[in-house]
């Protein structure tokens, strides 16, 4: 705690650590040190999370004998439970103005606690409960973390900053499956060993957050406004929901949810690829590496591109790339080259949408409610993906995986066309601190 607090003692100390230097003659840093510290936390945490994610589909389907519908329920929990608490996390972080780190730390801590509990989860109810708590932690931390990145970065550089953070985050996603693969090959009780090592790594991520991320983060001088003559009350939950009255944020939320309804979860896509390519079971944890590697290479350049062109257009283009990936899975082209091509397209989709959507959201939300704004968009998207997981699992059980993917691909094409019209002509300039009542 000392290292972080020593940089955040007093308002001047906080600004020096958390925001770019805006003194005359000094060029603000495109990527502040706060973003790099948060990126390190996400990198370590993602090593832990992706170790579990890499083996979970095979563990529950082959090890526990669950049907695709049962796995769809678990995967829906991964996406849906966190969404239910994301709004609360963003709102709590905004209250008082300096609780982002506290709320994020609580979320990271909950997820770290759940990894060892997976050692005891051998039935669907217990596994569902553990995953629900883990996703609660993710839901609590995501909006405060993205709010800290937004507040610490100049508006013109937010795409790049989110790209750097997502690149570091994806480095962890790249390393996690490799560690899981090594543990599975080196141990007898491979799954239990993966869960145990994952828990130790998650604790390390919490320690880095406590030691190196500043406690309080203010908006850069370029977007700060003079304080009001009278004290302003902390944002209320009603005001957080009222952010949807902002036209730009409402359009982003609607489109994120609409496209999320037709986005097949990573786990289902990897199961389809593993079956289409007839890959051995021990190679399954390596499939996320292709996605992560491409995401890592493209996150920063596509984030910088989003700052120069339209973030919304790049977000929509990313879903076009995903649609192309679905088409390749459904095509008669099989084998290792086809698997690699799909993984490259999958990683490109994430690089063009994940951080880019957060940067677009930051420009549409007042500085004092960044947490709530990020949570609203993220919640809409996560709840939609929760519904998609349930529907896709049921469709797979009824029609088979390829037929379910064909229906989803057609729905994604329609959703993308609708989103183009919804986002057409929208403005990406930063909003003021005036929020509709």
């Amino acid at each position: 705690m000392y290292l972080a607090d020593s940089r955040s003692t007093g308002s001047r100390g906080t600004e020096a650590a958390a925001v770019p230097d805006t003194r005359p003659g000094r060029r603000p840093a495109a990527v502040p040190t706060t973003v790099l510290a948060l990126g390190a936390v996400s990198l370590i945490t993602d090593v832990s999370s992706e170790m579990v994610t890499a083996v979970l589909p095979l563990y529950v389907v082959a090890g526990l004998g669950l049907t695709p519908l049962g796995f769809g329920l678990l995967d829906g929990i991964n996406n849906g439970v966190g969404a239910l608490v994301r709004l609360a996390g963003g709102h709590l972080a905004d209250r008082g103005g300096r609780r982002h780190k506290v709320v994020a730390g609580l979320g990271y801590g909950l997820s770290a606690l759940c990894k060892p509990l997976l050692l005891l989860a051998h039935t669907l109810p217990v596994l569902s409960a553990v995953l629900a708590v883990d996703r609660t932690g993710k839901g609590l931390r995501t909006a405060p973390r993205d709010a800290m990145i937004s507040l610490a970065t100049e508006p013109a550089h937010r795409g790049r900053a989110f790209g750097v953070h997502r690149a570091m985050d994806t480095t962890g996603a790249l390393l996690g499956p490799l560690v899981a693969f090594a543990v599975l090959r080196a141990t007898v009780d491979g799954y239990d060993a993966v869960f145990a090592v994952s828990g130790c790594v998650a604790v390390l991520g919490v320690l880095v957050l406590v030691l190196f991320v500043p406690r309080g983060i203010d908006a850069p001088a370029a977007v700060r406004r003079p304080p009001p003559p009278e004290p302003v009350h902390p944002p209320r939950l009603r005001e957080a929901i009222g952010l949807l009255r902002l036209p730009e944020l409402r359009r982003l939320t609607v489109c994120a949810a609409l496209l999320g309804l037709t986005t097949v979860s990573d786990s289902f896509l990897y199961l389809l690829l593993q079956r289409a390519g007839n890959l051995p079971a021990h190679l399954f944890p390596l499939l996320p590496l292709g996605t992560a590697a491409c995401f890592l290479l493209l996150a920063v350049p596509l984030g910088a591109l989003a700052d120069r062109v339209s973030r919304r257009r790049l977000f929509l283009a990313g879903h076009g790339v995903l649609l192309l990936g679905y088409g390749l899975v459904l095509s008669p082209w099989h084998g290792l080259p086809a698997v690699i091509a799909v993984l490259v397209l999958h990683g490109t989709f994430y690089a063009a949408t994940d951080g880019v959507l957060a940067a677009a959201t930051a420009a549409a939300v007042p500085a004092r409610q960044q947490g709530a704004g990020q949570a609203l968009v993220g919640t809409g998207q996560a709840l939609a993906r929760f519904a998609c997981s349930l529907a896709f699992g049921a469709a797979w059980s009824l029609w088979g995986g390829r037929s379910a993917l064909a229906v989803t691909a057609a729905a994604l094409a329609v959703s993308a066309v609708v989103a183009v019209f919804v986002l057409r002509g929208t403005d990406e300039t930063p909003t003021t601190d005036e929020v509709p009542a």
Side-chain angles (χ1 to χ4, degrees):
M1 182 69 75
Y2 171 75
L3 291 177
D5 290 349
S6 65
R7 293 179 297 166
S8 58
T9 303
S11 60
R12 293 182 62 85
T14 299
E15 290 180 18
V19 303
D21 188 348
T22 55
R23 289 175 295 176
R26 300 293 296 274
R27 183 180 179 181
V31 182
T33 55
T34 297
V35 176
L36 299 179
L38 288 168
V41 174
S42 293
L43 188 157
I44 296 169
T45 302
D46 242 37
V47 171
S48 170
S49 298
E50 293 302 320
M51 286 181 64
V52 174
T53 301
V55 302
L56 190 62
L58 207 60
Y59 174 64
V60 299
V61 173
L64 300 183
L66 294 182
T67 65
L69 179 58
F71 179 71
L73 175 62
L74 283 178
D75 194 68
I77 289 173
N78 269 341
N79 289 309
V81 172
L84 296 177
V85 298
R86 190 173 299 193
L87 278 174
H91 174 65
L92 290 174
D94 287 336
R95 289 185 64 84
R98 296 182 181 274
R99 296 184 182 177
H100 298 92
K101 178 181 175 179
V102 174
V103 177
L106 177 61
Y108 281 109
L110 275 178
S111 294
L113 178 65
C114 286
K115 299 303 188 296
L117 294 180
L118 289 171
L119 295 168
L120 308 175
H122 301 296
T123 63
L124 180 59
V126 176
L127 188 61
S128 299
V130 173
L131 290 178
V133 177
D134 177 69
R135 295 299 94 180
T136 296
K138 181 175 177 62
L140 283 175
R141 71 179 184 251
T142 300
R145 180 203 65 201
D146 286 350
M148 285 190 280
I149 296 172
S150 300
L151 291 172
T153 309
E154 294 286 348
H157 296 148
R158 279 172 176 160
R160 183 192 302 271
F162 276 105
V164 169
H165 174 268
R166 294 323 195 245
M168 298 179 71
D169 181 89
T170 306
T171 301
L174 190 65
L175 295 175
L178 287 176
V179 177
F181 176 75
V183 172
L184 284 176
R185 298 282 291 181
T187 58
V188 178
D189 296 325
Y191 293 120
D192 287 348
V194 168
F195 299 150
V197 173
S198 173
C200 296
V201 176
V203 171
L204 177 61
V206 176
L207 290 177
V208 173
L209 175 76
V210 171
L211 294 174
F212 295 103
V213 175
R215 177 182 295 176
I217 297 178
D218 297 321
V223 296
R224 286 198 301 268
R225 290 169 174 79
E230 297 180 0
V232 178
H233 62 78
R236 299 188 179 97
L237 184 59
R238 183 184 62 182
E239 293 176 355
I241 302 298
L243 285 172
L244 288 176
R245 296 176 183 172
L246 294 171
E248 304 303 317
L249 186 67
R250 184 171 61 250
R251 290 169 181 164
L252 280 174
T253 304
V254 168
C255 289
L258 180 64
L259 294 168
L261 282 171
T262 53
T263 301
V264 176
S265 76
D266 297 358
S267 298
F268 274 127
L269 185 63
Y270 297 147
L271 283 172
L272 286 168
L273 282 177
Q274 190 257 345
R275 296 187 179 190
N278 293 319
L279 299 178
H282 71 274
L283 294 180
F284 184 85
L286 299 181
L287 287 178
L289 295 181
T291 296
C294 189
F295 191 177
L296 174 62
L297 291 174
L298 295 178
V300 176
L302 288 183
L305 177 64
D307 288 333
R308 295 194 299 270
V309 295
S310 170
R311 293 164 184 159
R312 291 166 173 79
R313 290 178 183 173
L314 192 60
F315 176 72
L316 294 174
H319 285 84
V321 171
L322 179 64
L323 183 60
L324 181 59
Y326 290 169
L328 283 182
V329 176
L330 296 170
S331 73
W333 185 32
H334 299 300
L336 185 60
V339 171
I340 293 175
V342 172
L343 294 177
V344 168
L345 292 171
H346 198 224
T348 304
F349 155 71
Y350 275 118
T353 58
D354 192 2
V356 172
L357 177 61
T361 301
V365 181
R368 67 190 291 262
Q369 290 183 280
Q370 280 290 319
Q374 295 287 348
L376 279 171
V377 177
T379 296
Q381 185 181 61
L383 286 176
R385 290 182 176 178
F386 167 71
C388 183
S389 290
L390 293 180
F392 191 86
W396 186 331
S397 298
L398 291 174
W399 308 326
R402 290 178 61 83
S403 297
L405 183 62
V407 172
T408 305
L412 175 59
V414 174
S415 299
V417 172
V418 173
V420 168
F421 284 98
V422 172
L423 293 179
R424 185 173 57 181
T426 54
D427 184 18
E428 296 193 56
T429 56
T431 186
T432 69
D433 279 336
E434 296 179 1
V435 184

